[in-house]
Amino acid sequence: MPYEEKRFTQYFMPYQEVGVVKNASKDLVFNIDKSEDGTVWFKLFATSKQHVHVVLKNDNGTVYYDKEVDLDPSHLLFEERVDVEGARLNELTFNAESTPTPSESTPIS
C-alpha cells in the first residue's frame, strides 16, 4: 500500500556453537538432539548474563534434568548426556526460565 509503514525488530545473535536451533527467544537459544545410545544432549545459549532454571521432563511429569545455572554469551550450557529412559524427543518438554543477572559494574558516585 502506498505510504504504508511497517516496523519490526530483528535480533542478531552469535549462536554458532549451538548448532541447529530448535527454539529461541530474544534471551535464550536452544538445541536438543538424541544420541545413538538413547540419551539426549542439549545446548543453551544466553544473549546476556542470565540466571536460568532449566528443566527437562517428559509428558507424564518425570524429571530428567533440573538445574539452576548462570549463563552469559561467553559460557554456553552444554549437557552431553542426559538419560531420558528411552523417551522420544517429541515426548520431552524443555523449560528454561531466566532472570537477568544484575550488572557487576560499580556505580559512579
Side-chain angles (χ1 to χ4, degrees), residues 29-50:
V29 178
F30 171 69
N31 185 8
I32 187 170
D33 214 342
K34 199 154 194 168
S35 302
E36 290 182 17
D37 63 2
T39 61
V40 299
W41 59 263
F42 64 85
K43 295 179 181 181
L44 186 63
F45 172 82
T47 59
S48 62
K49 287 187 176 187
Q50 300 281 328

Side-chain angles (χ1 to χ4, degrees), residues 75-86:
H75 295 95
L76 174 80
L77 173 62
F78 179 32
E79 292 298 335
E80 294 185 41
R81 298 174 72 106
V82 178
D83 184 8
V84 293
E85 301 169 1

Side-chain angles (χ1 to χ4, degrees), residues 48-51 70-72 99-108:
S48 62
K49 287 187 176 187
Q50 300 281 328
H51 180 77
D70 290 316
L71 299 176
D72 63 60
T99 307
T101 303
S103 174
E104 295 178 11
S105 61
T106 307
I108 299 173

Side-chain angles (χ1 to χ4, degrees), residues 16-98:
Q16 182 175 3
E17 290 181 61
V18 174
V20 178
V21 174
K22 302 294 192 306
N23 201 346
S25 70
K26 67 180 183 127
D27 298 313
L28 299 170
V29 178
F30 171 69
N31 185 8
I32 187 170
D33 214 342
K34 199 154 194 168
S35 302
E36 290 182 17
D37 63 2
T39 61
V40 299
W41 59 263
F42 64 85
K43 295 179 181 181
L44 186 63
F45 172 82
T47 59
S48 62
K49 287 187 176 187
Q50 300 281 328
H51 180 77
V52 185
H53 183 204
V54 180
V55 179
L56 179 65
K57 61 184 178 179
N58 72 5
D59 293 342
N60 69 14
T62 303
V63 176
Y64 302 115
Y65 186 90
D66 187 346
K67 187 185 277 188
E68 291 192 28
V69 294
D70 290 316
L71 299 176
D72 63 60
S74 65
H75 295 95
L76 174 80
L77 173 62
F78 179 32
E79 292 298 335
E80 294 185 41
R81 298 174 72 106
V82 178
D83 184 8
V84 293
E85 301 169 1
R88 293 178 294 189
L89 285 177
N90 64 347
E91 299 171 335
L92 299 175
T93 301
F94 182 85
N95 188 24
E97 293 183 26
S98 65

